[in-house]
Amino acid sequence: MQEVGYVATIGMFDGVHRGHQFVLQHVVDEARRRGLQSMVITFDKSGSQTLTPLDQKRLLLTKTGIDRIEALIFNDDLRQLTARQFMERVLCHQYGVKVLLIGYDNRFGHNRVEGFDDYVRYGKELGIDVVHLPAVGEISSSLIRQQISAGEVAKARELLGYPYVLIGHVTYGEHIGTQLGFPTANIMPDSPCQLIPASGVYAVKARLQNSVEWKHGMMNIGMRPTFNGHQQTLEVHLFRLHEDLYGQQLEVAFVERLRGEQRFDNIDALKEQLQQDALASENILT
């Protein structure tokens, strides 16, 4: 049986943003041009704050048309490898990589002291053709994390190429939203390491697991200061949806931030603001 060769790229690919998508499209195209398979080698850094948990990242990578995805556990053994050792042991011997595409700012290996010229030299020694890709504007996972932390989900969407998504399960809450006329689903994120947007109210779309239908709604993230809350909650109100969602998985896509978190003097003032929020959200989403 003939051994399969790969055109590959490596990186964290947190968020699989537009810059990543540019690199991945080149990997797919180059693999087709050379009659090889395409591969992404990424890393699972457990405990690190992330835009996309591993399962979500795999799904986004699959949508790019990549043939094979390998997620390496970023342990001490892997961390101590130099770039030369990584290329020889992992790329060459473990996966049979024939072509390595490198993003304009991509560095790998222990201490990351080597650069593209070094990778080319090692590649020639190992039979790996190393190709440099140009920059794609100022797009980075760290910049997107900053925007989401500041609540700038619309700006983050432009860089990601899709709305930022949070996936979690619906848990029981205190039913305060129901008393206000805006019943909410309390969300517990499936990944404790996923970045939560800044406190405030957002226009969102949401869908249940295994559903293709996106429901319109609004989401509040915060401490509920009007009720002297002491713990952050993530509450989604979906328009014209009355079924019990407890225990179900919900995928929430952030479209735009409506306002920051506020403390209201009384319940009536809060109700009036929620009505305004709902109207603003509907206008944004339709």
Side-chain angles (χ1 to χ4, degrees), residues 3-264:
E3 181 182 359
V4 176
Y6 289 96
V7 174
T9 189
I10 59 176
M12 285 301 302
F13 296 101
D14 189 24
V16 194
H17 55 63
R18 286 174 51 217
H20 295 145
Q21 294 164 28
F22 172 83
V23 172
L24 297 168
Q25 186 59 59
H26 275 74
V27 172
V28 171
D29 292 345
E30 190 67 13
R32 289 173 180 167
R33 191 177 72 82
R34 299 194 186 215
L36 301 172
Q37 295 284 292
S38 58
M39 176 190 287
V40 169
I41 299 173
T42 188
F43 304 96
D44 180 11
K45 297 178 76 170
S46 299
S48 298
Q49 192 176 67
T50 182
L51 296 170
T52 45
L54 184 57
D55 287 347
Q56 190 177 342
K57 180 164 65 173
R58 282 185 182 277
L59 178 61
L60 291 168
L61 290 171
T62 299
K63 290 180 178 179
T64 67
I66 291 288
D67 294 311
R68 181 175 177 181
I69 301 164
E70 293 292 339
L72 306 180
I73 298 175
F74 200 69
N75 54 25
D76 288 339
D77 290 340
L78 188 63
R79 190 179 294 110
Q80 294 304 317
L81 293 180
T82 64
R84 175 66 166 75
Q85 291 170 332
F86 182 85
M87 290 180 69
E88 181 177 11
R89 299 179 189 180
V90 179
L91 301 186
C92 184
H93 294 161
Q94 187 170 348
Y95 293 123
V97 172
K98 304 300 182 185
V99 183
L100 177 64
L101 270 62
I102 298 289
Y104 77 100
D105 61 348
N106 197 346
R107 295 288 184 94
F108 61 91
H110 181 59
N111 292 332
R112 300 189 178 185
V113 295
E114 295 133 314
F116 178 73
D117 291 341
D118 298 303
Y119 306 151
V120 172
R121 186 171 72 255
Y122 303 151
K124 289 180 178 178
E125 297 169 358
L126 298 168
I128 299 174
D129 186 10
V130 180
V131 180
H132 210 189
L133 292 174
V136 191
E138 297 181 3
I139 304 176
S140 70
S141 299
S142 59
L143 174 59
I144 295 170
R145 282 191 287 268
Q146 291 172 14
Q147 291 176 334
I148 291 172
S149 295
E152 300 285 357
V153 295
K155 291 182 180 179
R157 183 178 74 242
E158 293 176 5
L159 299 184
L160 286 167
Y162 60 90
Y164 184 63
V165 168
L166 182 69
I167 299 175
H169 278 76
V170 179
T171 62
Y172 278 125
E174 299 178 17
H175 303 291
I176 292 175
T178 300
Q179 298 171 26
L180 296 172
F182 290 88
T184 60
N186 283 58
I187 307 298
M188 177 64 69
D190 287 351
S191 172
C193 295
Q194 185 169 8
L195 181 63
I196 305 297
S199 295
V201 179
Y202 296 84
V204 300
K205 295 182 179 181
R207 64 179 177 183
L208 295 170
Q209 188 177 22
N210 300 323
S211 173
V212 297
E213 182 183 4
W214 287 94
K215 303 286 189 179
H216 292 181
M218 59 185 187
M219 182 172 192
N220 181 78
I221 298 175
M223 307 292 285
R224 295 185 296 190
T226 304
F227 300 94
N228 299 313
H230 299 289
Q231 184 174 354
Q232 185 187 63
T233 60
L234 289 73
E235 303 171 278
V236 180
H237 170 71
L238 298 179
F239 306 138
R240 296 172 292 281
L241 183 69
H242 306 289
E243 64 181 282
D244 183 7
L245 301 179
Y246 176 72
Q248 298 192 57
Q249 187 183 68
L250 201 62
E251 181 179 357
V252 181
F254 292 85
V255 178
E256 190 171 318
R257 191 183 194 210
L258 301 176
R259 60 178 173 87
E261 186 173 35
Q262 296 175 244
R263 181 186 182 92
F264 294 89

